[in-house]
Amino acid sequence: MQPEQESDRNGDERRRYPRVAVETPGRFLAPDGSEHQCALRDISIGGIAISSPVPLQIGAQIIVYIDDFGRFEGKIVRVFDGGFAIETAISGPRRERLQQRLEALARGEKIDVSARRAFARYVPGEAGLEESSVLTMTDGSSIPCRIIDMSLGGAQVAIDPRPMIGTQVSIGKMQGRIVRHTEEGVGIQFTNVPEHSNALSRPFG
């Protein structure tokens, strides 16, 4: 019973932050490395509640990608029928952006999805990833680059010189091809959309 009592105390602590009920899909990486579909149930600055039939234990560390919100890491502090809740620690500009978004949602405003792609796209800070990376060609040569934004389906990177459109490249664990040139660099379409734990956890590392 001790874990449940501890969970209750953690839950009381998290309620300092207003929760906003939001239904949006996502995926999470379980401690055993398996990947599962899930859905956001509610979210606050201090944590999120996830709907999922997958049984997990209090104290387990997981990684969650939520459409329109990005990547979160946290410890499970509560389990309930049909899901679980994790405690998160967000700071800096990302915390401010999330706070503004939650306040807007609480007022009944909708998240702007006019530019949404097949996969939600995030800047590195929102996904908890570093901007600096390396683009590698099929011949083994590589060029330092900076990730502008990314999704599970592709990325935009700042790079000079720019490889030709159609060039097969890899960035971190992801393989893809150059599909367009941009003012700062290139757009990459991934050819191995993540379906495994390592790619979901650290796609560019």
Side-chain angles (χ1 to χ4, degrees):
M1 294 297 294
Q2 182 61 33
E4 293 182 0
Q5 294 170 356
E6 184 66 26
S7 173
D8 289 342
R9 287 196 295 269
N10 288 337
D12 291 340
E13 184 71 10
R14 287 197 316 279
R15 290 187 181 92
R16 293 179 303 169
Y17 306 110
R19 296 183 181 185
V20 179
V22 183
E23 293 185 8
T24 190
R27 293 192 290 175
F28 73 89
L29 181 67
D32 64 1
S34 59
E35 182 184 324
H36 305 274
Q37 300 291 328
C38 65
L40 177 63
R41 182 167 172 168
D42 63 53
I43 182 169
S44 75
I45 288 295
I48 58 179
I50 299 293
S51 294
S52 169
V54 179
L56 294 174
Q57 300 294 318
I58 290 175
Q61 291 283 146
I62 68 167
I63 298 172
V64 184
Y65 279 91
I66 300 295
D67 286 5
D68 301 319
F69 289 94
R71 176 183 181 276
F72 298 86
E73 292 188 50
K75 179 177 67 174
I76 295 178
V77 293
R78 182 168 56 94
V79 295
F80 49 84
D81 186 21
F84 54 85
I86 68 171
E87 187 175 54
T88 59
I90 305 171
S91 60
R94 188 188 181 197
R95 181 187 177 93
E96 295 176 7
R97 288 194 297 270
L98 180 59
Q99 180 67 52
Q100 292 171 357
R101 178 170 289 183
L102 293 181
E103 289 174 353
L105 287 170
R107 293 192 298 267
E109 300 175 14
K110 293 184 178 180
I111 296 176
D112 181 9
V113 294
S114 58
R116 181 186 291 178
R117 296 172 172 85
F119 297 96
R121 187 170 290 268
Y122 312 106
V123 298
E126 289 179 321
L129 301 171
E130 296 294 328
E131 289 187 356
S132 299
S133 190
V134 175
L135 200 67
T136 303
M137 316 303 152
T138 54
D139 64 3
S141 61
S142 60
I143 308 174
C145 65
R146 176 175 59 83
I147 300 169
I148 299 171
D149 63 35
M150 84 288 285
S151 74
L152 293 180
Q156 292 191 78
V157 302
I159 190 170
D160 185 29
R162 297 178 297 179
M164 293 177 57
I165 292 176
T167 301
Q168 299 293 319
V169 298
S170 62
I171 181 169
K173 300 180 179 70
M174 305 307 298
Q175 289 83 49
R177 63 186 181 90
I178 305 297
V179 294
R180 63 184 174 277
H181 285 170
T182 66
E183 184 175 344
E184 293 184 87
V186 298
I188 302 169
Q189 182 180 41
F190 294 146
T191 54
N192 63 331
V193 175
E195 293 294 344
H196 52 87
S197 61
N198 286 341
L200 180 62
S201 174
R202 286 285 187 264
F204 305 108

